[in-house]
Structures are given as C-alpha cells and as structure tokens.
Amino acid sequence: MIVALDIGGTKLAAARVEGGRVLERLEAPTPTHDRGPEAVTRAALELLRPLLPGARALGVAATGGVAEGKVTALNADTLQGWHAYDLQGALHEATGLPTAVVNDADAAAWGEAAYGAGRGVENFIFVTVSTGVGSGLVLGGRLYLSRHGLHAEMGYMRAPDGTPLELVASGGALDRWARERGWEGAREVVRRAAADPAAEAKLTESAGLVADKLADLKVMLGLERAVIGGGLGLSAGYLERVRAALGRLDPLYALEVLPAALGADAGLIGAADWAGRTSQ
C-alpha cells in the first residue's frame, strides 16, 4: 500500500492506493490565508497523518514545475513563495517514507498510462482542459521528465496570436468570456452551445486550438493517442469538437483521442504508482 498526495491551488487530496485502486480518500482546502510552502506542507501532513500506518512509500502530485523533488510555482496566484522548495525532502523528513514528487499533470499522465486510457500505446499525451491547460507526456512507455522541471507544458505553447494556449482555450478563458456577457461561466457556454451561435463558436474555437497543438505534437513526437481530461475537456461535446478539428486536417495529423478513464483520481493513482516504482 502506498499513500498519495495531490497538492493543488484550491484543494489538497490524500489517499491510500493499492494496485491502481484508491482504497481511502481524504480532502481539505489548500490554505487560503497563507499559501507559502511551509503552511501548505503542514496542512498536507495533517491530512496525510491517518493514512500513513502501513504505507511503504509516498507519492506526491504537485501543481507547478517540479525538478528533483523541488517545486516552483508557475502561477504565483496559485502557490505563493514556492521557488525550488524541497517538498520531497520536507515530506520525507516528516514521514520517514521514500518520497517521490512529480507535477500533477505528469502524475495523471502516468496514472492513465498504467491503469487508464493510455494503456496499450507507448507514445501518448494526457491533456487536462480545466481552469488552465495542463499536460503530461509518456514516450516509449516512460514518463517524460526534464531536469529543469519545465516540460510538456502544452498550456504555455502559443496560440496563433502569440498568447499562451491556456489563456485563450481553457475553462478559465471561457469563464472570463462568459461573464463579460452576464453568463455564469464556462458551464453555461457548454449548455448554450446547441442554440447560441456565439457560444458554439467560442467552444469550437477552444477545441480547435487544442487540436492544432495536438496535431503539431503528433508529427513531432510520433504520438499514437491523446487522452483528454478536465472539467471542460470532459464536458458534453468537447472531445467530439477536438476530433472534428483534427479530422479536417491532412491525414498525416490523424490522432486517436480518448476521454480520461480515471477521473479525479488520476493524479493520486499516478503519483502512487510512480513512487512505488522509484522507491524499489
């Protein structure tokens, strides 16, 4: 049995995981009064404490750039003051367990590779289209990681106008666009798409931008499959729009697109499996 921890900007999740199955899951909000690394680590350890007995390793999925167990926030509003913070060392010292830390999208990619929609192929990308756009790569059956911690960041690839993709194609981007019109947010854009041409155009634009980047990565990396997750990515009709956009391109760019299979547990399962493999 391995314990897993998922550190996000709004939520902390912890679980006991065995054989790709979540046996027990706990959640708590990420501290709002102090999002510095020490405060978040204390809150995470408090959440983990009842799950630790009997564990042989600890796997951690963390938002931000991760290099050699150290975490640097890519968005200062999400985690404040995180710059090369040795999260792996802090958690290992506190728990005594072999500890592995990976980026949350990388953890989800590995979870889908080992137990979900990435099984059966060696080269695939996991993309979560949610508040932002996150991604993780599995190439040659191995999780792709860089020494400096910045890798597979599809959300920071540039749209045709030079803007980072997640600023124009994410659920957060649709939220901003919707509220300018007095709508509730991205969910209302999805609901209105069938009857409102403007909502349909905006949703199709988002899916098309994601598809364009997938097409580029397919021919660059030899991808066999893309796995899509996230609140917007798994909303009604979104995958079909991505597939349709890819289908309008030359067959050279054809790529299988599947929905994520592990849902909100992908990061926990992936982090646990990664820790289990690297701690042996």
Side-chain angles (χ1 to χ4, degrees):
M1 190 275 296
I2 298 170
V3 285
L5 174 67
D6 192 341
I7 297 178
T10 60
K11 182 182 68 178
L12 305 174
R16 293 162 64 93
V17 181
E18 188 169 17
R21 295 181 299 113
V22 172
L23 306 180
E24 183 180 358
R25 193 178 200 278
L26 301 173
E27 289 187 7
T30 303
T32 54
H33 62 285
D34 181 356
R35 295 192 178 194
E38 290 81 10
V40 173
T41 300
R42 286 194 298 271
L45 285 167
E46 189 63 28
L47 186 66
L48 274 172
R49 202 171 310 283
L51 305 178
L52 293 175
R56 68 177 179 88
L58 168 61
V60 185
T63 185
V66 180
E68 299 179 341
K70 298 179 176 66
V71 180
T72 298
L74 299 179
N75 182 343
D77 293 331
T78 303
L79 294 176
Q80 298 157 0
W82 290 62
H83 182 73
Y85 173 66
D86 189 5
L87 180 63
Q88 183 169 300
L91 292 173
H92 171 66
E93 182 178 356
T95 65
L97 293 174
T99 302
V101 180
V102 290
N103 166 268
D104 51 1
D106 291 333
W110 188 248
E112 292 288 345
Y115 298 102
R119 289 178 296 179
V121 297
E122 288 204 336
N123 302 314
F124 89 99
I125 187 168
F126 167 80
V127 182
T128 176
V129 188
S130 188
T131 303
V133 176
S135 54
L137 275 171
V138 174
L139 300 176
R142 300 173 64 182
L143 184 63
Y144 177 76
L145 301 171
S146 69
R147 290 184 63 85
H148 53 66
L150 189 65
H151 52 262
E153 292 288 352
M154 199 170 102
Y156 287 89
M157 295 175 73
R158 296 190 301 168
D161 66 355
T163 306
L165 182 70
E166 75 172 19
L167 296 184
V168 291
S170 65
L174 263 64
D175 277 338
R176 292 189 292 273
W177 182 85
R179 286 170 183 147
E180 288 172 359
R181 284 151 181 78
W183 300 353
E184 292 179 7
R187 291 181 180 178
E188 188 167 354
V189 177
V190 174
R191 289 197 303 270
R192 285 176 176 259
D196 188 307
E200 172 60 33
K202 195 65 179 176
L203 199 58
T204 298
E205 177 190 43
S206 167
L209 289 168
V210 169
D212 282 346
K213 292 306 175 188
L214 291 177
D216 289 344
L217 291 169
K218 186 273 171 82
V219 293
M220 177 174 284
L221 301 174
L223 298 181
E224 302 159 71
R225 182 179 297 165
V227 176
I228 308 293
L232 179 59
L234 294 177
S235 65
Y238 193 86
L239 261 67
E240 288 73 16
R241 290 176 175 87
V242 173
R243 291 170 179 148
L246 284 167
R248 289 190 287 270
L249 302 177
D250 187 282
L252 181 72
Y253 300 100
L255 182 65
E256 183 181 28
V257 179
L258 297 180
L262 301 181
D265 289 333
L268 291 167
I269 291 171
D273 191 77
W274 186 253
R277 291 169 189 261
T278 57
S279 66
Q280 290 176 355

